[in-house]
Structure formats: structure tokens, C-alpha cells
mmCIF file of all heavy atoms in Angstrom:
data_model
loop_
_atom_site.group_PDB
_atom_site.id
_atom_site.type_symbol
_atom_site.label_atom_id
_atom_site.label_comp_id
_atom_site.label_asym_id
_atom_site.label_seq_id
_atom_site.Cartn_x
_atom_site.Cartn_y
_atom_site.Cartn_z
ATOM 1 N N THR R 1 -53.250 -42.669 -69.111
ATOM 2 C CA THR R 1 -53.922 -43.687 -68.389
ATOM 3 C C THR R 1 -53.042 -44.218 -67.235
ATOM 4 O O THR R 1 -51.835 -43.991 -67.190
ATOM 5 C CB THR R 1 -54.257 -44.900 -69.275
ATOM 6 O OG1 THR R 1 -53.146 -45.786 -69.469
ATOM 7 C CG2 THR R 1 -54.853 -44.416 -70.597
ATOM 8 N N GLY R 2 -53.690 -44.903 -66.388
ATOM 9 C CA GLY R 2 -52.969 -45.761 -65.410
ATOM 10 C C GLY R 2 -52.840 -47.191 -65.982
ATOM 11 O O GLY R 2 -52.427 -47.320 -67.141
ATOM 12 N N ARG R 3 -53.250 -48.152 -65.158
ATOM 13 C CA ARG R 3 -53.125 -49.554 -65.657
ATOM 14 C C ARG R 3 -54.261 -49.833 -66.581
ATOM 15 O O ARG R 3 -55.390 -49.982 -66.166
ATOM 16 C CB ARG R 3 -53.062 -50.491 -64.492
ATOM 17 C CG ARG R 3 -52.451 -51.844 -64.701
ATOM 18 C CD ARG R 3 -51.219 -51.734 -65.550
ATOM 19 N NE ARG R 3 -50.270 -52.768 -65.503
ATOM 20 C CZ ARG R 3 -49.536 -53.163 -66.509
ATOM 21 N NH1 ARG R 3 -49.755 -52.551 -67.699
ATOM 22 N NH2 ARG R 3 -48.603 -54.090 -66.410
ATOM 23 N N VAL R 4 -53.934 -49.972 -67.870
ATOM 24 C CA VAL R 4 -54.835 -50.566 -68.851
ATOM 25 C C VAL R 4 -54.086 -51.619 -69.462
ATOM 26 O O VAL R 4 -52.802 -51.799 -69.330
ATOM 27 C CB VAL R 4 -55.206 -49.522 -69.921
ATOM 28 C CG1 VAL R 4 -56.076 -48.361 -69.329
ATOM 29 C CG2 VAL R 4 -54.057 -48.948 -70.650
ATOM 30 N N THR R 5 -54.703 -52.533 -70.192
ATOM 31 C CA THR R 5 -53.941 -53.618 -70.901
ATOM 32 C C THR R 5 -53.084 -52.904 -71.967
ATOM 33 O O THR R 5 -53.475 -51.887 -72.513
ATOM 34 C CB THR R 5 -54.829 -54.592 -71.581
ATOM 35 O OG1 THR R 5 -55.692 -53.974 -72.596
ATOM 36 C CG2 THR R 5 -55.732 -55.345 -70.628
ATOM 37 N N ASP R 6 -51.952 -53.460 -72.199
ATOM 38 C CA ASP R 6 -51.042 -52.846 -73.196
ATOM 39 C C ASP R 6 -51.687 -52.570 -74.528
ATOM 40 O O ASP R 6 -51.498 -51.523 -75.162
ATOM 41 C CB ASP R 6 -49.807 -53.655 -73.317
ATOM 42 C CG ASP R 6 -49.044 -53.912 -72.041
ATOM 43 O OD1 ASP R 6 -49.247 -53.150 -71.036
ATOM 44 O OD2 ASP R 6 -48.175 -54.786 -71.974
ATOM 45 N N ALA R 7 -52.447 -53.520 -74.973
ATOM 46 C CA ALA R 7 -53.040 -53.445 -76.298
ATOM 47 C C ALA R 7 -54.125 -52.386 -76.317
ATOM 48 O O ALA R 7 -54.476 -51.874 -77.404
ATOM 49 C CB ALA R 7 -53.662 -54.787 -76.721
ATOM 50 N N SER R 8 -54.633 -51.971 -75.168
ATOM 51 C CA SER R 8 -55.695 -50.927 -75.144
ATOM 52 C C SER R 8 -55.228 -49.607 -75.717
ATOM 53 O O SER R 8 -55.957 -48.858 -76.180
ATOM 54 C CB SER R 8 -56.217 -50.716 -73.719
ATOM 55 O OG SER R 8 -56.994 -51.893 -73.277
ATOM 56 N N LEU R 9 -53.911 -49.374 -75.677
ATOM 57 C CA LEU R 9 -53.311 -48.102 -76.205
ATOM 58 C C LEU R 9 -53.513 -48.050 -77.687
ATOM 59 O O LEU R 9 -53.531 -46.945 -78.230
ATOM 60 C CB LEU R 9 -51.876 -48.006 -75.848
ATOM 61 C CG LEU R 9 -51.469 -48.066 -74.360
ATOM 62 C CD1 LEU R 9 -49.950 -48.060 -74.222
ATOM 63 C CD2 LEU R 9 -52.171 -46.966 -73.575
ATOM 64 N N VAL R 10 -53.717 -49.210 -78.410
ATOM 65 C CA VAL R 10 -54.021 -49.227 -79.755
ATOM 66 C C VAL R 10 -55.542 -49.324 -80.092
ATOM 67 O O VAL R 10 -56.133 -48.685 -80.955
ATOM 68 C CB VAL R 10 -53.238 -50.367 -80.446
ATOM 69 C CG1 VAL R 10 -53.766 -50.592 -81.882
ATOM 70 C CG2 VAL R 10 -51.774 -50.072 -80.423
ATOM 71 N N VAL R 11 -56.219 -50.212 -79.262
ATOM 72 C CA VAL R 11 -57.602 -50.461 -79.423
ATOM 73 C C VAL R 11 -58.436 -49.185 -79.193
ATOM 74 O O VAL R 11 -59.348 -48.837 -79.961
ATOM 75 C CB VAL R 11 -58.115 -51.567 -78.491
ATOM 76 C CG1 VAL R 11 -59.618 -51.821 -78.696
ATOM 77 C CG2 VAL R 11 -57.382 -52.839 -78.699
ATOM 78 N N GLY R 12 -58.092 -48.342 -78.168
ATOM 79 C CA GLY R 12 -58.812 -47.161 -77.863
ATOM 80 C C GLY R 12 -58.892 -46.168 -79.025
ATOM 81 O O GLY R 12 -59.944 -45.720 -79.458
ATOM 82 N N PRO R 13 -57.743 -45.777 -79.631
ATOM 83 C CA PRO R 13 -57.720 -44.896 -80.707
ATOM 84 C C PRO R 13 -58.500 -45.474 -81.959
ATOM 85 O O PRO R 13 -59.161 -44.720 -82.625
ATOM 86 C CB PRO R 13 -56.264 -44.723 -81.087
ATOM 87 C CG PRO R 13 -55.560 -44.847 -79.812
ATOM 88 C CD PRO R 13 -56.304 -45.975 -79.106
ATOM 89 N N ALA R 14 -58.321 -46.736 -82.207
ATOM 90 C CA ALA R 14 -59.027 -47.353 -83.335
ATOM 91 C C ALA R 14 -60.544 -47.321 -83.118
ATOM 92 O O ALA R 14 -61.301 -47.018 -84.022
ATOM 93 C CB ALA R 14 -58.517 -48.728 -83.558
ATOM 94 N N ALA R 15 -60.991 -47.641 -81.900
ATOM 95 C CA ALA R 15 -62.432 -47.577 -81.621
ATOM 96 C C ALA R 15 -62.944 -46.201 -81.710
ATOM 97 O O ALA R 15 -64.095 -46.052 -82.235
ATOM 98 C CB ALA R 15 -62.663 -48.152 -80.168
ATOM 99 N N ALA R 16 -62.206 -45.189 -81.311
ATOM 100 C CA ALA R 16 -62.694 -43.812 -81.414
ATOM 101 C C ALA R 16 -62.769 -43.395 -82.902
ATOM 102 O O ALA R 16 -63.731 -42.806 -83.333
ATOM 103 C CB ALA R 16 -61.728 -42.898 -80.691
ATOM 104 N N HIS R 17 -61.756 -43.782 -83.656
ATOM 105 C CA HIS R 17 -61.668 -43.319 -85.089
ATOM 106 C C HIS R 17 -62.744 -44.000 -85.903
ATOM 107 O O HIS R 17 -63.365 -43.312 -86.738
ATOM 108 C CB HIS R 17 -60.354 -43.641 -85.589
ATOM 109 C CG HIS R 17 -60.099 -43.193 -86.996
ATOM 110 N ND1 HIS R 17 -59.771 -41.802 -87.277
ATOM 111 C CD2 HIS R 17 -60.056 -43.867 -88.183
ATOM 112 C CE1 HIS R 17 -59.636 -41.765 -88.595
ATOM 113 N NE2 HIS R 17 -59.793 -42.977 -89.158
ATOM 114 N N PHE R 18 -62.948 -45.299 -85.736
ATOM 115 C CA PHE R 18 -63.887 -46.002 -86.573
ATOM 116 C C PHE R 18 -65.285 -46.123 -85.996
ATOM 117 O O PHE R 18 -66.155 -46.705 -86.635
ATOM 118 C CB PHE R 18 -63.345 -47.429 -86.906
ATOM 119 C CG PHE R 18 -62.041 -47.383 -87.679
ATOM 120 C CD1 PHE R 18 -60.859 -47.813 -87.133
ATOM 121 C CD2 PHE R 18 -62.006 -46.900 -88.977
ATOM 122 C CE1 PHE R 18 -59.668 -47.763 -87.878
ATOM 123 C CE2 PHE R 18 -60.842 -46.849 -89.712
ATOM 124 C CZ PHE R 18 -59.664 -47.323 -89.187
ATOM 125 N N GLY R 19 -65.491 -45.660 -84.737
ATOM 126 C CA GLY R 19 -66.816 -45.691 -84.207
ATOM 127 C C GLY R 19 -67.219 -47.036 -83.717
ATOM 128 O O GLY R 19 -68.457 -47.262 -83.748
ATOM 129 N N TRP R 20 -66.267 -47.878 -83.362
ATOM 130 C CA TRP R 20 -66.701 -49.220 -82.895
ATOM 131 C C TRP R 20 -67.427 -49.165 -81.596
ATOM 132 O O TRP R 20 -67.185 -48.339 -80.738
ATOM 133 C CB TRP R 20 -65.422 -50.081 -82.667
ATOM 134 C CG TRP R 20 -64.604 -50.342 -83.869
ATOM 135 C CD1 TRP R 20 -64.996 -50.303 -85.238
ATOM 136 C CD2 TRP R 20 -63.225 -50.697 -83.929
ATOM 137 N NE1 TRP R 20 -63.995 -50.647 -86.070
ATOM 138 C CE2 TRP R 20 -62.873 -50.885 -85.337
ATOM 139 C CE3 TRP R 20 -62.259 -50.937 -83.019
ATOM 140 C CZ2 TRP R 20 -61.620 -51.211 -85.759
ATOM 141 C CZ3 TRP R 20 -60.979 -51.275 -83.363
ATOM 142 C CH2 TRP R 20 -60.665 -51.467 -84.748
ATOM 143 N N ALA R 21 -68.369 -50.024 -81.497
ATOM 144 C CA ALA R 21 -69.102 -50.215 -80.186
ATOM 145 C C ALA R 21 -68.529 -51.417 -79.491
ATOM 146 O O ALA R 21 -67.662 -52.205 -79.945
ATOM 147 C CB ALA R 21 -70.568 -50.461 -80.496
ATOM 148 N N GLN R 22 -68.982 -51.580 -78.207
ATOM 149 C CA GLN R 22 -68.421 -52.673 -77.347
ATOM 150 C C GLN R 22 -68.763 -54.015 -77.839
ATOM 151 O O GLN R 22 -68.153 -54.982 -77.435
ATOM 152 C CB GLN R 22 -68.930 -52.475 -75.928
ATOM 153 C CG GLN R 22 -68.257 -51.285 -75.176
ATOM 154 C CD GLN R 22 -68.703 -51.188 -73.752
ATOM 155 O OE1 GLN R 22 -69.899 -51.151 -73.480
ATOM 156 N NE2 GLN R 22 -67.788 -51.169 -72.798
ATOM 157 N N ASP R 23 -69.760 -54.210 -78.776
ATOM 158 C CA ASP R 23 -70.087 -55.487 -79.327
ATOM 159 C C ASP R 23 -69.461 -55.700 -80.684
ATOM 160 O O ASP R 23 -69.809 -56.715 -81.378
ATOM 161 C CB ASP R 23 -71.617 -55.675 -79.315
ATOM 162 C CG ASP R 23 -72.305 -54.646 -80.171
ATOM 163 O OD1 ASP R 23 -71.629 -53.722 -80.691
ATOM 164 O OD2 ASP R 23 -73.620 -54.739 -80.289
ATOM 165 N N ASP R 24 -68.575 -54.869 -81.195
ATOM 166 C CA ASP R 24 -67.895 -55.115 -82.395
ATOM 167 C C ASP R 24 -66.649 -56.020 -82.151
ATOM 168 O O ASP R 24 -65.522 -55.579 -82.201
ATOM 169 C CB ASP R 24 -67.471 -53.782 -83.054
ATOM 170 C CG ASP R 24 -68.614 -53.006 -83.605
ATOM 171 O OD1 ASP R 24 -69.497 -53.616 -84.213
ATOM 172 O OD2 ASP R 24 -68.609 -51.754 -83.461
ATOM 173 N N LEU R 25 -66.982 -57.265 -81.819
ATOM 174 C CA LEU R 25 -65.947 -58.117 -81.190
ATOM 175 C C LEU R 25 -64.843 -58.487 -82.179
ATOM 176 O O LEU R 25 -63.655 -58.504 -81.793
ATOM 177 C CB LEU R 25 -66.593 -59.408 -80.725
ATOM 178 C CG LEU R 25 -67.643 -59.222 -79.566
ATOM 179 C CD1 LEU R 25 -68.229 -60.531 -79.143
ATOM 180 C CD2 LEU R 25 -67.024 -58.445 -78.416
ATOM 181 N N ASP R 26 -65.156 -58.762 -83.481
ATOM 182 C CA ASP R 26 -64.055 -59.096 -84.379
ATOM 183 C C ASP R 26 -63.106 -57.927 -84.644
ATOM 184 O O ASP R 26 -61.918 -58.112 -84.657
ATOM 185 C CB ASP R 26 -64.637 -59.581 -85.669
ATOM 186 C CG ASP R 26 -65.289 -60.967 -85.580
ATOM 187 O OD1 ASP R 26 -65.122 -61.645 -84.510
ATOM 188 O OD2 ASP R 26 -66.025 -61.402 -86.508
#
């Protein structure tokens, strides 16, 4: 990636693995 938030490097893999949608806010 280029500039993403630092935490996105963790959130992205977790969202892909668990199938989270953009409204799975918690």
C-alpha cells in the first residue's frame, strides 16, 4: 500500500479472513 492508516495493516487481513462488512463497526 501507499498511505493507509497504520492500523489498516491489521484491520484489512482480519476483515478479509472473517468476512467483515463495512458496517461491522464493533
Side-chain angles (χ1 to χ4, degrees):
T1 77
R3 202 39 159 146
V4 297
T5 62
D6 299 344
S8 291
L9 302 178
V10 169
V11 179
H17 183 76
F18 295 114
W20 296 338
Q22 287 182 306
D23 59 356
D24 288 320
L25 298 181
D26 289 347

